[in-house]
Amino acid sequence: MKKVLGLLMSFALVLSLVGSVASAKTTENIDAFKDKKSTHVQIVLFDGFDLLDALAPYEVFAAAGMYSGGVITVELVSAEGKRSVPSGLNGPALEAQAALDPNRPGIILVPGASGKPAGHFEDAIPNILRQTMKTGLPGMLKQAFNNKEVTVATVCGGTLLPAMAGLLKDRHAVTNHIGMAALGALGAIPIEARVVEDGPRFVSGGGVTSGLDVALYLVNRELGPQVANSVEKLFEYEKRGTVWKAEGITPIDFNTSPKASEEKQPAANSVSNTEK
């Protein structure tokens, strides 16, 4: 019995020591985060915005703030200031907490619109975006693009707003697949990828759920993989896709390169020879 009690006491001592070390490491990590310059995220709301485009990144950034001891902060904003902003498809409204500040260092994320994908309807996405262009948002986005301390991120149809303002000429970007032709017509370079980074200060995402991937990529970029991984585990979601950048070797386009199409593929030749 004495041996059992002795073993239990030893085990309890080991656990307490391990707990102390783990607690010390956690405190050390949080202290290290505190030394890092904090990042503030402004998520822009406009009449007819898509709920998931806005709220999925909001939750990612909020969770990252929780895990980092507040190194990332996030708020909902609008071009007009504090107000109730209706979402698209007669969805619920969200409260913008403040006016968008394009001069504040950090991240500005622009969601897309929610509505009928085409047509001359009041609640059609093209019309919602056109109405948004009549607000003060395009001018604020121009200021943000000119601010070297701001990263502009867009999700889904949100990429079309800076494109319509002439801010994406010759820049690589992605939007929802139904808007890719329009994106190209507006002067951008459409890239078929889930997330595209054109320089460190502009990041765009494709369809609605890509907002999770845009936000997780930015969390990883700002705070590192450990916090990003903790958010992924919390949400039971793993970031999808490789972030496309204009770096590295350009892949051969076999549809347009005559030279590439004439090249013999060793694997194919070997299979052919074997069959003979």
Side-chain angles (χ1 to χ4, degrees), residues 234-245:
L234 179 67
F235 291 171
E236 296 189 8
Y237 175 86
E238 295 179 353
K239 185 178 77 64
R240 292 176 55 194
T242 299
V243 176
W244 187 97
K245 302 178 184 181

Side-chain angles (χ1 to χ4, degrees), residues 67 216 219-220 224-235 237:
Y67 281 118
L216 282 166
V219 166
N220 180 72
Q226 293 186 55
V227 172
N229 180 254
S230 292
V231 176
E232 286 185 341
K233 287 194 293 184
L234 179 67
F235 291 171
Y237 175 86

Side-chain angles (χ1 to χ4, degrees), residues 45-51 54-55 76 83-97:
L45 304 181
F46 54 86
D47 291 2
F49 73 93
D50 186 283
L51 277 169
L55 289 180
L76 301 175
R83 70 181 181 99
S84 178
V85 187
S87 62
L89 292 175
N90 296 315
L94 292 181
E95 187 74 18
Q97 300 157 294

Side-chain angles (χ1 to χ4, degrees), residues 156-185:
C156 199
T159 308
L160 292 172
L161 287 172
M164 291 166 75
L167 301 173
L168 297 188
K169 184 172 174 54
D170 297 327
R171 301 195 71 161
H172 304 93
V174 66
T175 185
N176 188 289
H177 66 94
I178 62 175
M180 290 289 273
L183 187 63

Side-chain angles (χ1 to χ4, degrees), residues 137-206:
L137 182 56
M140 292 178 170
L141 288 178
K142 184 176 181 179
Q143 291 180 59
F145 270 88
N146 290 332
N147 188 340
K148 294 181 180 179
E149 294 186 303
V150 171
T151 293
V152 176
T154 59
V155 178
C156 199
T159 308
L160 292 172
L161 287 172
M164 291 166 75
L167 301 173
L168 297 188
K169 184 172 174 54
D170 297 327
R171 301 195 71 161
H172 304 93
V174 66
T175 185
N176 188 289
H177 66 94
I178 62 175
M180 290 289 273
L183 187 63
L186 290 166
I189 304 172
I191 300 295
E192 292 184 5
R194 191 161 174 83
V195 179
V196 173
E197 182 179 80
D198 184 276
R201 293 183 43 247
F202 177 58
V203 179
S204 57

Side-chain angles (χ1 to χ4, degrees), residues 29-30 32-41 60-73 107 215-229 231:
N29 285 338
I30 290 175
F33 278 137
K34 286 178 179 176
D35 292 336
K36 184 187 183 302
K37 188 177 180 181
S38 63
T39 300
H40 186 67
V41 182
V60 169
F61 290 124
M66 174 181 69
Y67 281 118
S68 65
V71 176
I72 277 188
T73 55
I107 297 168
L216 282 166
Y217 170 68
L218 290 170
V219 166
N220 180 72
R221 195 183 81 175
E222 297 295 319
L223 299 181
Q226 293 186 55
V227 172
N229 180 254
V231 176

